[in-house]
């Protein structure tokens, strides 16, 4: 755990968004593949990546995934609201939720939040 990776956010909203990204990764990744979570700092931002092995996205589908009621893939369980709610939750914390396609492999979802200056309480520490 790096104590310098601190954010000042609504903990429940962050946990909900991260949990949803992990649920999607488990749901859409190929059997017996790896899912990774990585937290790191870039300048005044804290980034949390959730990388899956879903096989990649059809061209032009990345931003559509964040629209309400949009579902891709064979598994249509759920309402198609998770990514839309996750993005709203991150934006409510002055952050950005984005996705990067890795063709033929999977997706990397990135939560990008403002870095909290240590010494200014309260802060949630992002565990690696």
């Amino acid at each position: 755990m790096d104590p310098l990776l601190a954010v000042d956010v609504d903990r429940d909203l962050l946990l909900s968004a991260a949990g949803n990204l992990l649920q999607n990764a488990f749901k859409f990744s190929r059997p017996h593949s790896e899912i990774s979570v990585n937290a790191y700092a870039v300048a005044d931002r804290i980034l949390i990546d959730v990388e899956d092995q879903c096989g990649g996205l059809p061209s032009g589908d990345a931003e559509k995934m964040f629209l309400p009621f949009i579902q891709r893939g064979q598994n249509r369980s759920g309402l198609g609201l998770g990514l839309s709610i996750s993005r709203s939750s991150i934006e409510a914390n002055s952050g950005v939720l984005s996705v990067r396609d890795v063709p033929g492999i999977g997706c990397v979802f990135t939560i990008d939040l403002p870095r909290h200056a240590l010494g200014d309480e309260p802060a949630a520490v992002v565990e690696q």
Side-chain angles (χ1 to χ4, degrees):
M1 178 174 81
D2 183 345
L4 299 178
L5 298 181
V7 293
D8 185 12
V9 297
D10 180 304
R11 177 182 229 138
D12 291 334
L13 289 177
L14 176 58
L15 290 174
S16 174
N20 182 64
L21 294 178
L22 285 169
Q23 285 178 330
N24 277 355
F26 292 126
K27 179 178 176 180
F28 293 108
S29 287
R30 292 173 258 191
H32 310 292
S33 61
E34 286 188 20
I35 295 164
S36 65
V37 178
N38 189 29
Y40 54 99
V42 175
D44 64 343
R45 308 297 292 180
I46 298 294
L47 301 157
I48 304 167
D49 290 339
V50 176
E51 187 172 351
D52 65 34
Q53 293 191 6
C54 67
L57 298 174
S59 182
D61 272 6
E63 280 304 308
K64 291 178 188 173
M65 294 173 53
F66 294 104
L67 296 173
F69 306 109
I70 298 298
Q71 294 183 330
R72 80 169 196 82
Q74 299 296 329
N75 187 337
R76 301 285 181 173
S77 62
L79 297 173
L81 292 172
L83 290 175
S84 176
I85 292 170
S86 293
R87 181 173 261 181
S88 295
S89 296
I90 296 304
E91 289 173 349
N93 282 294
S94 303
V96 177
L97 174 59
S98 60
V99 64
R100 179 172 46 91
D101 180 37
V102 182
I105 297 173
C107 298
V108 180
F109 288 87
T110 300
I111 297 172
D112 178 337
L113 295 164
R115 189 174 193 162
H116 179 74
L118 293 177
D120 299 338
E121 293 304 318
V125 175
V126 177
E127 295 185 20
Q128 284 192 22

